[in-house]
Amino acid sequence: LHLGLLAALLGLDAQQAKVQKLAKQEVLMVNIGSTATGGKVVAVKNDLAKIQLTQPVCTQEGEKIALSRRVDKHWRLIGWGQIRRGTKVEINESP
């Protein structure tokens, strides 16, 4: 995932508004298209991050995403990204 973080959050005072870098094991809300799912940050390096989603999502490489973090019991937009790579999951349909 190639990512960019916002400089500050909207609607909060100056102390809370600064967006911190992503931390390993942090839980985020990831919006991909119209789908929202949870994700855990597995690795971060410069402007790249690896996020393990809680549920499989149908998407493609190059798709843009939005990242949100819990701040004072509310999800706040902290940045955006673009999918660079992913894991293909086979779905078995029962007859």
Side-chain angles (χ1 to χ4, degrees):
L1 176 71
H2 178 76
L3 67 99
L5 296 178
L6 298 174
L9 299 173
L10 299 175
L12 296 177
D13 61 32
Q15 289 180 342
Q16 290 181 318
K18 188 167 182 344
V19 175
Q20 303 296 322
K21 292 183 179 180
L22 298 183
K24 272 185 163 181
Q25 301 301 313
E26 180 178 14
V27 176
L28 301 172
M29 180 167 60
V30 182
N31 293 81
I32 305 170
S34 62
T35 304
T37 187
K40 185 185 288 189
V41 179
V42 177
V44 181
K45 186 175 182 181
N46 298 329
D47 62 346
L48 298 175
K50 185 174 185 178
I51 299 176
Q52 181 177 2
L53 301 178
T54 57
Q55 298 173 329
V57 174
C58 184
T59 187
Q60 57 189 352
E61 291 177 3
E63 182 108 19
K64 297 200 184 315
I65 68 162
L67 299 171
S68 299
R69 177 184 281 152
R70 283 291 273 214
V71 178
D72 294 336
K73 299 181 183 177
H74 297 283
W75 288 106
R76 301 286 185 168
L77 179 68
I78 62 162
W80 65 94
Q82 188 170 21
I83 297 173
R84 307 248 330 240
R85 228 180 343 220
T87 304
K88 196 173 200 178
V89 177
E90 296 294 329
I91 298 176
N92 298 327
E93 293 185 30
S94 56

